[in-house]
Amino acid sequence: MTMTRFLIRRILSGIVVLWIVSTAAFFLFFARNPDIVARSLAGRAATSAIISEVKRNLGLTQPIMVQYWQFLDRTLHGNFGLSYYNGQIPVSSILARDIPRTLSVVVGGVVLWGVVGIAVGVLSATRARTVFDRVSTLGVLAGISMPTFVLGELLLAYVYVPLNTHGIGWVNTGYSGLSNGLAAWSGAMILPWITLATVQAAVYTRLSRGSLLDTLGEDYIRTARAKGLTERRIVYRHAMRAALTPVVSQFGIDIGAFLGGVLVVETVFGIGGLGEDAVTAVTNGDLPTIIAFVLIASAFVVTANIIVDMLYAVLDPRVRIT
Amino acid sequence: MTGPITPETVLSAQSWPTDADLTDDVLVQVDNLVKHFPVKGGGLVARTVGQVQAVDGVSLTIRRGQTLGLVGETGCGKSTLARCIAGLLPVTSGKVTFEGKDITNLPRRKMQPFRRDIQMIFQDPYGSLNPRRRVGSIIGDPFAIHKTATGAARKKAVQDLMERVGLNPEHYNRFPAEFSGGQRQRIGVARALALRPKLIICDEPVSALDVSIQAQVLNLLADLQKDFGLAYLFIAHDLEVVRHVSESVIVMYLGKIAEAGPKDPVYDTPRHPYTAALLSAAPAADPEAAASRQRIILSGDVPSPINPPSGCRFHPRCPKAQDRCATEVPQLEVKAGDMPTHLTTCHFPVQAGEVLASVSRAFRGEAR
Amino acid sequence: MSLSELEFQAQTLEAAPTEAIEGRSQWRLTWARLRRDKMAVASMIVIAVIAILALLAPVFASLLGHGSAQVFPNSGLSGTGGPVSPGTHGFYFGTDELGRDLLVRVLYGARISLFVGITTTAIATVAGVAVGLISGFFGGWVDAVLARFIDTVLAFPFLVLALSLAVVFGPSLTIVISVISFFSWAAISRIVRGQTLSLKEKEYIEAARSLGANPWRIMFIDILPNIMAPVLVLATLSIPAAIVFESTLSFLGLGIQPPTASWGNILAGAQSYYQVAWWYLVFPAAALLITTLAFNLLGDGVRDALDPRTERIFAATRKRRRRTWAGRPATQLDALVAPVPTDGPGEA
């Protein structure tokens, strides 16, 4: 089938998945005694007055299916309720403020992850068993054994602090919006990006290296060599496509793990994006923010998966038939 | 027999009584077995766009203690037929009876007791044994599954079996990888023999073996048949091997029976042009005889079983084909001058002394 | 040789005691290869040491007189109220901001990590193999449903689920184990299902069916032994993944809660103090890194021992060493010709 038809099918199934997730989230959070639900929505520091107000506003005493319908309705309108912990401001305003931060982290992280992972992998494969390969192998080893938060803390302690104490102020923690200048923005983002990307890139370096080495051993590559094509042309025009397909499909699975990494990185570097909001929301019992985060995260994963599927279909035309 | 000889009368008369004692029982009776595999098409929803007509109306009889040979090219449906009889594939239509009881499409639990009597030997000595299991365990499987022997008794039975088929019982704990191809096939035979079956279906048991080993395994099968009164359904594509082991022979083409009967009439005076062509192509041991023999070369490839030719399925490649062959399906019947047990499916059977065209022309009209 | 000599030889052979001949199973060969792999052996030793230390944590605690949750505001805190450095007052790893013995806490953290790693892997392996076998073997709608389910679980952002459960039920060890198991089994299941699908078509499976074996017997006696190899590799590699996962959850406050020590929550505390107390960051981080590294290397080694073709992280130097036949001299004559067995992964 054509790419458009493929895309439409994927989008439709993505919507179904989102619907299932939001339904599951709803029942997980709301399908209990209205008092308990109201209390958890209102946060730890709530007074009984606030709790009753919450109960009334959200109609928690109504039958569960009515609540479900209202929940769907509210969500589709972008109304995620009020964050009582943060002084009763609407959750959607928190989202609006913090999504750009998370986006900065995500985009930079993904680019670095993909580019470095594949580039190093390809170079290692084409220069198998040379010094470059050995060194990158050591790097890979370090990367795959390293939890993200440990790397983040280590970078903070042994890169950020020394740099700052020696007067190099570019590398920073926290967040600075793009509107404040590229230097400030990138300075705050560089360490989070490196942290995020290293761990994931290590896995992908190994994967792409192995995949490319396998592909280069195939008969049709041997034929291309016999035809007299240059090695560079063989690798980049012929082998890459086949070698990259397992990498791309693995990418789709790892998006979930990647999200976890984003959360961790935001917490360690104090970026104040959605991830950090979610974590503090758990510690403070701020349920509405969590719900919003769950939905946004699922939407992100679904979208990312659709993109990955499209990419995969471009690389491997056989997939379009299913 | 009085009256016209039709397929029904012939079949109902318990076809192919051999020279042996006519009180031999009928072990397996297959009536008009049809096996079609659906071909799934593409599109948004999986649809069935066609049928692979693997077996299309085959009837046969296997008698106790006898060997029925089944010959044909690759893709003619003989392996599928065997698996239908063994209950490994569900049958699309038709009937299979064993000792008078209907075993067509029985659910697994009901089929279980029959599995002790019907066993199978497979073609690939390397694929038919689980590489991660010890040989003793593999041969002991039937005892374990049907709960007939455990522990030391089972081990003893397995080792007896190993000895019987010519293997060293001390190799009980070895893995299949440590045996040669011929030995592995013997392991398969031992496994099939464990529960003293009445019928063993041999699906090309020697095709994958060297010729010298083939002889050994065939001799083993013959000995076992004598000792245990086994019946064999012997499937092969090598005509000489089939002649050596069988009493009766069926020649299959594209899912249907081309010719059937006791082996001597079929081999000496083949009536179906396909049988004649096959026999002419078989290598002869005597070089002079081979040189003087006329080879019949069939043109074209075997057509696809999804879209078989109309009328007689062989007509596009047949050297004797005429208009009638493209329109009318021939019946399996006795031809003039033949024994009542020698049946052929042909409108224009080969006559005695006839010399067929050495190269057949593809029949104009239905090219497939 | 003369005829009488031949006869004599034949007689000797027949008279020789016949013992049951054991075939060399896949596992024996694998273990032999693994033993010769230096990296893998080193990893196994390291893991063994860590395991022993973890088991003996209470012993260390009582020997030192410091409990894992016991605060020592006087001897454990410096004059300015910060953690003391390693070596002071019998705190070999120093203390944390509450004056707790870091060495003891790190050892107790090892207990948690190893326990979580092994338990979740065990659960995930059993569940994953079962589901994968059932899904792959039965096919049809069972497979359609289960395969979709496996894919969904695999793609799911696990941290989101952990968050949700933590907020509803409160963080605890049970939640940690449940969440980690839930996501590990899917990876194993997917591999098992793939293998089962391809093995299902093999002739020996058909042979088993013709013997009358029921589906369960075929799955567990015929198919399972053939998939144990990749399952073993995956299981070995699941352990460090689980350890990392647990420490991440504890770090974020969603897992093990203080005062129970977990490497994750120790490192969370270290965030505020690493500038004045490097030991607070370095020791737990090192422990975590060494453990995961060891398991990863072991997994790599196991994978190579099972299937020597694959590319390894530290491919043993493929110097041209003298080869022997199958690694060991079979007769005296062979011993004379090629005396030295190779080291490094042997030729398969």
Side-chain angles (χ1 to χ4, degrees), chain A residues 196-273:
Chain A
L196 251 186
T198 307
V199 176
Q200 301 282 38
V203 175
Y204 280 70
T205 302
R206 186 159 173 213
L207 193 60
S208 48
R209 177 181 182 274
S211 178
L212 188 58
L213 277 176
D214 279 343
T215 311
L216 286 175
E218 296 264 354
D219 282 346
Y220 70 92
I221 299 291
R222 197 177 54 169
T223 311
R225 283 202 187 110
K227 279 204 293 187
L229 295 177
T230 61
E231 193 68 18
R232 167 169 287 220
R233 198 179 169 84
I234 291 176
V235 168
Y236 290 105
R237 273 207 58 168
H238 296 278
M240 281 279 264
R241 205 176 219 215
L244 283 183
T245 38
V247 176
V248 169
S249 75
Q250 180 70 20
F251 206 84
I253 300 174
D254 280 345
I255 296 193
F258 180 69
L259 259 182
V262 169
L263 241 90
V264 166
V265 156
E266 286 187 4
T267 309
V268 169
F269 290 95
I271 295 174

Side-chain angles (χ1 to χ4, degrees), chain C residues 53-64:
Chain C
L53 286 176
L55 281 171
L56 293 179
V59 174
F60 277 92
S62 61
L63 273 179
L64 290 169

Side-chain angles (χ1 to χ4, degrees), chain B residues 180-242:
Chain B
S180 70
Q183 286 175 316
R184 289 189 214 197
Q185 207 61 313
R186 291 173 193 269
I187 297 171
V189 172
R191 174 175 62 186
L193 203 54
L195 296 176
R196 301 288 182 268
K198 297 185 178 123
L199 165 69
I200 297 188
I201 301 175
C202 310
D203 188 2
E204 307 210 38
V206 294
S207 308
L209 302 174
D210 294 332
V211 180
S212 54
I213 313 289
Q214 282 187 24
Q216 290 177 15
V217 175
L218 288 175
N219 287 339
L220 170 65
L221 288 175
D223 286 342
L224 292 174
Q225 181 173 44
K226 260 205 308 273
D227 288 346
F228 296 107
L230 301 165
Y232 289 137
L233 175 62
F234 196 94
I235 303 169
H237 54 253
D238 185 340
L239 289 162
E240 289 309 308
V241 167
V242 172

Side-chain angles (χ1 to χ4, degrees), chain A residues 54-92:
Chain A
V54 168
K55 229 160 70 165
R56 212 180 338 112
N57 281 350
L58 291 176
L60 291 176
T61 44
Q62 291 173 317
I64 193 78
M65 288 314 290
V66 176
Q67 289 191 49
Y68 176 57
W69 195 247
Q70 292 177 343
F71 167 76
L72 281 182
D73 185 50
R74 283 199 308 267
T75 311
L76 286 171
H77 282 106
N79 175 2
F80 294 107
L82 301 179
S83 168
Y84 290 91
Y85 175 75
N86 287 314
Q88 299 206 21
I89 52 174
V91 171
S92 34

Side-chain angles (χ1 to χ4, degrees), chain C residues 183-228:
Chain C
F183 289 102
S184 303
W185 78 257
I188 296 180
S189 207
R190 170 187 265 223
I191 302 281
V192 168
R193 174 182 172 271
Q195 295 277 58
T196 308
L197 281 176
S198 65
L199 284 174
K200 205 170 53 161
E201 309 301 326
K202 296 259 176 183
E203 223 167 38
Y204 57 83
I205 301 294
E206 199 173 27
R209 284 177 54 218
S210 79
L211 289 172
N214 70 57
W216 300 98
R217 184 189 169 85
I218 298 182
M219 277 194 287
F220 286 99
I221 297 191
D222 275 310
I223 297 189
L224 187 58
N226 283 288
I227 58 171
M228 285 316 286

Side-chain angles (χ1 to χ4, degrees), chain C:
Chain C
M1 275 198 260
S2 73
L3 195 60
S4 51
E5 281 184 44
L6 277 170
E7 279 177 323
F8 177 68
Q9 286 226 338
Q11 272 179 335
T12 334
L13 278 173
E14 277 168 26
T18 46
E19 355 160 294
I21 300 170
E22 285 284 323
R24 284 176 305 162
S25 73
Q26 174 200 28
W27 301 112
R28 284 231 246 136
L29 292 170
T30 304
W31 176 243
R33 276 199 286 265
L34 196 63
R35 264 189 9 219
R36 284 184 292 199
D37 178 359
K38 290 197 265 210
M39 269 292 153
V41 170
S43 319
M44 285 192 278
I45 294 177
V46 167
I47 293 173
V49 166
I50 296 176
I52 294 175
L53 286 176
L55 281 171
L56 293 179
V59 174
F60 277 92
S62 61
L63 273 179
L64 290 169
H66 304 146
S68 77
Q70 211 176 354
V71 299
F72 295 92
N74 299 318
S75 53
L77 291 178
S78 65
T80 45
V84 299
S85 53
T88 47
H89 298 153
F91 294 107
Y92 292 104
F93 274 8
T95 57
D96 64 7
E97 80 277 16
L98 291 181
R100 293 181 290 207
D101 186 341
L102 198 61
L103 170 60
V104 174
R105 283 181 73 75
V106 167
L107 286 177
Y108 272 83
R111 290 170 76 102
I112 297 274
S113 291
L114 287 180
F115 176 72
V116 170
I118 294 178
T119 322
T120 55
T121 301
I123 297 175
T125 307
V126 168
V129 167
V131 172
L133 273 179
I134 292 175
S135 177
F137 190 75
F138 285 112
W141 63 268
V142 170
D143 183 36
V145 166
L146 282 177
R148 278 257 113 206
F149 182 50
I150 295 172
D151 282 341
T152 315
V153 170
L154 267 181
F156 202 82
F158 54 81
L159 220 42
V160 171
L161 179 66
L163 275 177
S164 317
L165 288 179
V167 92
V168 170
F169 298 110
S172 71
L173 181 60
T174 323
I175 290 204
V176 167
I177 293 188
S178 314
V179 171
I180 300 178
S181 313
F182 185 64
F183 289 102
S184 303
W185 78 257
I188 296 180
S189 207
R190 170 187 265 223
I191 302 281
V192 168
R193 174 182 172 271
Q195 295 277 58
T196 308
L197 281 176
S198 65
L199 284 174
K200 205 170 53 161
E201 309 301 326
K202 296 259 176 183
E203 223 167 38
Y204 57 83
I205 301 294
E206 199 173 27
R209 284 177 54 218
S210 79
L211 289 172
N214 70 57
W216 300 98
R217 184 189 169 85
I218 298 182
M219 277 194 287
F220 286 99
I221 297 191
D222 275 310
I223 297 189
L224 187 58
N226 283 288
I227 58 171
M228 285 316 286
V231 167
L232 186 63
V233 174
L234 264 178
T236 315
L237 291 173
S238 295
I239 298 180
I243 294 179
V244 167
F245 202 156
E246 178 273 318
S247 57
T248 307
L249 284 176
S250 304
F251 173 79
L252 293 172
L254 305 173
I256 313 291
Q257 300 288 304
T260 314
S262 150
W263 290 335
N265 66 29
I266 297 176
L267 285 166
Q271 276 185 102
S272 322
Y273 293 96
Y274 64 81
Q275 287 177 309
V276 300
W278 60 266
W279 53 93
Y280 201 170
L281 172 61
V282 167
F283 287 121
L288 189 50
L289 283 176
I290 293 175
T291 311
T292 48
L293 204 63
F295 274 106
N296 275 322
L297 280 176
L298 180 61
D300 219 41
V302 168
R303 186 201 323 231
D304 192 56
L306 283 169
D307 179 12
R309 285 181 304 129
T310 52
E311 289 291 331
R312 304 196 47 203
I313 287 190
F314 277 119
T317 46
R318 301 201 188 279
K319 290 189 237 158
R320 291 289 120 200
R321 304 222 184 190
R322 279 171 306 189
R323 305 189 197 194
T324 60
W325 295 102
R328 224 181 304 151
T331 65
Q332 295 286 51
L333 196 59
D334 284 358
L336 286 176
V337 166
V340 179
T342 61
D343 47 2
E347 319 299 340

